Each structure stands twice: as structure tokens, then as C-alpha cells.
Amino acid sequence: MDETLKSLHTSNCQQDSINLLSRVAVNLPGMIFQVLQRRDGSPFVLYVSSGCQDLFELEPEVIQVDFQGLLKLIHPQDIKILTESISASVNIFSPWRWEGRIITPSGMKWIQCTCQPQRQANGDCLWDGLVMDITDQKQAEEKLRESEARYKAILDAIPDLIFRISRDGKYLDLKSEGANITLSKEEIVGKNLWELLPRDVAAITQEAIAKTLDSGTLQTYEYQLPTPLGVRDYEARLVVSAPDEVLAIVRDITQRKQVEAQLHLSAQRDRLLTESLARIRSSLKLDQILQTTVTEVRQFLQADRVFIGINNAKLKGRTIAESVDPNYPSVSGWSTNDEAYLQELQNLLKTNLVRVIEDIRQTTISPKVKAHFQKFKTRASLTVPIMLGDKLFGALIANQCSGPRNWQPMEIDLLQQMSEQVAIAIQQSLIHQELAELNTNLEHQVQERTAQLQQKMQEIEELHRVKDVVLHTVAHDLRTSVMGNLMVLQNLLKRGLGNGDWGLGNSGPPLGIRGNGDWVLGKESAQSLIPVSSSIIERMIQGNDRQLKMIDSLLEIHSCEKEGISIKREPVQFSTLMEGVIADLEPILRQNQATLKNLIPKDLPLVMADANRLQKVLASLLTHSLQHNPPGLNFTMKATFEAGIIRTQIQHNGMAMSKLECDRLFDLYVRDPQDCCSTSIGLKMYLCRKVIKAHGGEIGVTTNHKRGLAFWFTLPVN
């Protein structure tokens, strides 16, 4: 070991140095190092503080063994600068300072190295230095550079003027790139705003500067300046930028102001159109609508005169509504019968649709039209036709009398839309007049038809009254006659009991029929009488009985149709009710050799029903089945309860029916005259439906294509 190393590694010197460096390292961020660079360039690490663990993520012992390992952590792009800086420092033994990047397991870091090289007597170089982590500082600097670049880009992109102005109104600096300004920077900076601005604008600006500096808040104001391009509108925003200094951002808002003015006019126009349409929809007073229209249009246009002129076969050419400035002549009441003049005006409107005259002195017009303009002191005119369909009805006209006028597109559009509204109002008024006339005619027709209808109703009521009288009279006479026949026939049948034939018995006077058809009861010779058997008398009794029942059914149906069917409801147990009905029907079942199986449950709830009416319904259903089938028919009766309804079904195994017959079975219509029982049974079936409907239920029949029918009806429970 050479003399330098020997001197550095004496026990006292080494321990003192280590103790000193350790004490210093405790109070410093980063890593303290002491490295000896020999004359041959090889390094020898004398000391490395524990800060290398956080900085390089290496233990001190690792660095002492392999100092060149630190170079492997240097970012590849920074190695060249590092080596060049070390060589430059060694050559002149100047202080060494380097900033660069290292790559550690946890990621990239920025470090700063500072060191003072010391030449040794033998030519070696001793490096005592400090390495610090400056990653946070570098990141902050990078963000600051990005922010400055971003702000610079924003400022460069802003077309506004930006001024720095002192409290006393002196222009300190300005940014004018992209702004429309006529003065150069040199002509503005150093001058006072009172020297460059009109006095009213300078006063407003000076006041805003004072408010901004005193309150520390943003101040905004608007002003106008005359420029070579005309009067321009500006908006200024002032903020505090330094003590007694403001930053003023000035923007040209002329276009925005124009747009705002246009939007304001557009809103007024839309309001005017909306209100006009609302008046037309809510009112039929045409004169009031037209007068309000011309008044509001003149107010919107700020014109001297607005009026509506019409021209048609009835009214000729005249003014019907006008709003005019009192300083100019009125055209109200003006009219003309000059067909040539009116035709000329019509042709002008048909040709141009919208007639725009900005200055009558610069327009070629006929002498008559020119004279008309001069009479009413018209200098400019805007005329829009009022069309009813494809026909010209009149025109909506705006006049300027004070001088020429440049009519704007929005003004022309307003007049066109208002003319359409006026056309709607006129059409609505005409339609209302036509409707009034039609209503008058219709009222007369309704009165006539009402009188005729009342007369017909009276005739129908009279016919019903006559029908009722005839029905009761005929039914009464028929019923009396039939009942008389029944009494006679039943007495005759009783007298002939026990004998085989009438007219040949010994128990009473003989009964027979003469050749002329008279019945004979007496002691005429048997040879002069035609004998009558008891079976004939029985069939005659049956026929009269059917006629009596049919008459009763007709009277009952008539009463139902006129007054409604009478139902006496009582709460009854349904199964008990059916058992009683079945017991009453037992004779007719036995007579027709029929059976009825009762499958109705005992636990069905109560129903509100008229037992007598239901008995007749069941009798009619069974009678219909028995009369349309041979003897020996089998019936099955069932009942179910669901959703507050009891549904009863009576099924038999007899003949089936077509669907059409099932659909019409309970209707009231004329039955097949070939069926001797059909009419009376049909009336009974119709009454069945009436009874079930009166109970609040339904009734019907379904057919089995193979054999049999199933009648059903429903009843609501109590």
C-alpha cells in the first residue's frame, strides 16, 4: 500500500474520519462517500454512508467491494455526460457537480452529485462528496415546464388583447398577437389610457382598475370604440397581477352583440307570432285580430305605417286595418274602384310575391303607384300578399315615411309569417260565417225532423195501444173459447168412461156426429151417427190444452217485454231447491219412461232464487227434451260452484242439434209450422232465458256430435 493509503489507514486517522463522516451523514439526506482514485484510474472506496440503501438500494459493503457497480445503475443516456464531467473536474481539480438518472429495482430516480477533488502528493485524487435524491424536484420542474408551455400555448391561441396596467392608468406591457389592433406595441406601452381612449371609456377603465386593486376581485365592463371598421363592442376583464398593477383581458364582442340583438329580435318575432296565433285560435272577432296585428307589427318593425288592404269581388279594393305614426297621413278608409289600378297591384304581387322597395326614388314604378306613394308620403315599402289558397285576397304592407329603409331579412320573414296568420284568421272567419248559415239551416231541418219524429212516435204509441187492446181482446176471447172446449170435452170424456166408443154405449145418451158436422147427444138411431172414440176426445183435449198454454205464454211474454218479469227471491239451499223441483217433475218423467240422476252436491252455498220460476225453467228444459226424443231418455243433473257462481248442467243421451239450432233455441222467433209442439215450446224456452236473466245468470245449450244435449244455466250465490 502506498504512502497515501498508509496515512489514511492509520488506526487513529481512519477511526476519526469514519466517526466524523458518520456523524455528518446522520443529519444529511442522501449518501456521503470518500473515494480514492489512483493514478491508473482505478477507484478505492474509503467510506460510504448508509444513505446508499435508500438511494441506490444497495448495502455499503456491496459498493465498497464493487464501486464500478454503481455505474451500471446510470441511465444509458446520461453515462456520456457523467464521464465527461468527471474528466473535466479531474483535469483542473475543479468542484464536480452532476445531475442525472439512475435505474434501481424500484424505478427511475434523479440524483445530484457534488464533490471536491483533492490532489495527493503522489498524484492520486481523493474525492469527498455527497449524492442526493432530487427526483421530486425534477418532477416538479417538469410539471412546471409543462404548465408554462401549456399556458403559453393558451395565451398564444387567445385572440384577445392582454394589457398590464398600473394603478394610475399607465400601459406597462401588452400581448396583441392575433388581435385586431391598429396601434403598435411601441405606440401603446408607456402611454396613459387617458391619452389613447375616449374620455368616457378612460373614466370607466380607471374606475374598474381602482375597484380591482382595492377589492382584489374580478371586474368586468363593456364599452364601444370607433375603429376604421366602424363602431366595435369590447368586453374588458380585470384581475390583480401585482401590487398596484392589473391584468386586463380585452375581447372584441361585436359579433356576439350582433347575435344577441338578432336573438332578441328573433325572440320578439316568435312571441309576436305565437300571440297572434293564440288570438286567432281563441277569437272569432276578425276586426280585433287584424287591428292588433298591424299595431304589434309596426311596433316590432319601428315602421311609420302598417296596414292591411284587401281586394275581392264583394269588398273591392280598400283598407281594413291600420296602425300609423300620427305625424304621417292615414290610409284608413281608403278605397278605389279603379279596376286597372287594382289589376296592376295584383300583378306586382303575383310577379314578385314579396314587393320590397327601399327607396321609391330609385325604383321604376307606374305613375298611378307613384302618385299613391306621394299622396301618403311613402318613401319605402314592404308588401307581402295575403293568399287564400291560390287566390290573392289582399296584402300586409309596411311603410317608412321618414326616409329610405333597408328592409332586413328577419323583417321580411316576419311580415310573410304574419300574412299567413292573417290568412288563417280570414279563412276562419269565412268558415264561421258559412257554419252559422249551415247551423241556421240545420236547426230548421232538425225542427222539421223532430216534428215528424214526434208524429211518428205518436203513431207508434197508438199502434202499440191498439196492439195491446187487440192482443188482450183476442187472447181473452181465445182463452174463453178454449177453456169452454176443454170443459165440454172433459165432461164428455167422463161420461164415456168404461165404453169403448162414443155413440154405442148404454150408460148414457149416445154421442155422435151428423153428416153436416154437428155433435149429437141424444137418442137418435145409431145408424144416423158417426161414432167418436175416446182417444179422439183425448187428443182434442190435449190440443186445446196446448193452445191454452200458448195463449198464457204469449200473455206472459207480452207482460215481460212491457213491464219486466217479476221475481220473488228468497235465500234457499240450492241442493234442497233442486231436490224439490225434481220431485215435482217426477210424474212427467215417469209418463215418458225417463230417468234423472241427481249429482248435485249437498254443500253448495245459498242462492237468492224464485223456486216457482226455477221449477218452470227445469220443466220447460225437460219437456223440450222429452218431446223431441222417444221414450226412455236418461238425464244427469250436475252443479259446480266457482267465483261466486253456481253452474247447473242437465245432460241427456237423446238426439243432438246443429250449432245454429243451439244458438237460436232461446230466441223468440217463429218455429217450424210442421212441428205441432214447436211454437208453444219455443215460447217456453224464451221465457226460460228471461227468468234466468232476471236472476242475474246466463243460460245456454251445447250439443254432442255423437248423441245428446247439455242444457246449462248459472245463478249468483247470496
Side-chain angles (χ1 to χ4, degrees), residues 567-599:
I567 297 295
K568 297 180 180 179
R569 291 188 180 90
E570 293 179 354
V572 295
Q573 187 71 33
F574 187 74
S575 59
T576 305
L577 174 64
M578 290 296 102
E579 288 175 357
V581 172
I582 293 171
D584 293 338
L585 296 175
E586 185 62 31
I588 189 173
L589 293 172
R590 187 170 53 254
Q591 181 181 350
N592 288 272
Q593 303 174 14
T595 62
L596 192 153
K597 184 183 293 185
N598 182 9
L599 301 179

Side-chain angles (χ1 to χ4, degrees), residues 222 233-235 237 251-263:
E222 296 179 1
D233 290 280
Y234 295 93
E235 178 190 70
R237 291 174 175 265
R251 173 171 296 181
D252 187 335
I253 60 171
T254 305
Q255 186 175 2
R256 191 190 80 188
K257 283 292 187 179
Q258 291 173 352
V259 171
E260 289 177 353
Q262 288 292 103
L263 290 175

Side-chain angles (χ1 to χ4, degrees), residues 449-467:
R449 296 293 186 273
T450 302
Q452 295 174 0
L453 181 61
Q454 290 175 346
Q455 182 178 355
K456 291 295 183 182
M457 291 179 64
Q458 292 176 356
E459 294 175 357
I460 291 173
E461 289 178 357
E462 181 63 22
L463 289 176
H464 280 299
R465 189 186 65 80
V466 172
K467 181 201 69 174

Side-chain angles (χ1 to χ4, degrees), residues 230-243:
V231 177
R232 309 290 292 181
D233 290 280
Y234 295 93
E235 178 190 70
R237 291 174 175 265
L238 274 60
V239 294
V240 177
S241 59

Side-chain angles (χ1 to χ4, degrees), residues 162-165 169-176 181 183-193 195-196:
I162 302 177
F163 298 94
R164 284 176 49 228
I165 310 175
K170 183 180 180 180
Y171 289 102
L172 305 176
D173 195 5
L174 75 87
K175 179 264 178 188
S176 60
I181 185 171
L183 297 177
S184 65
K185 183 176 182 179
E186 292 73 16
E187 294 176 300
I188 297 176
V189 175
K191 299 288 183 67
N192 193 284
L193 57 87
E195 300 177 65
L196 300 178

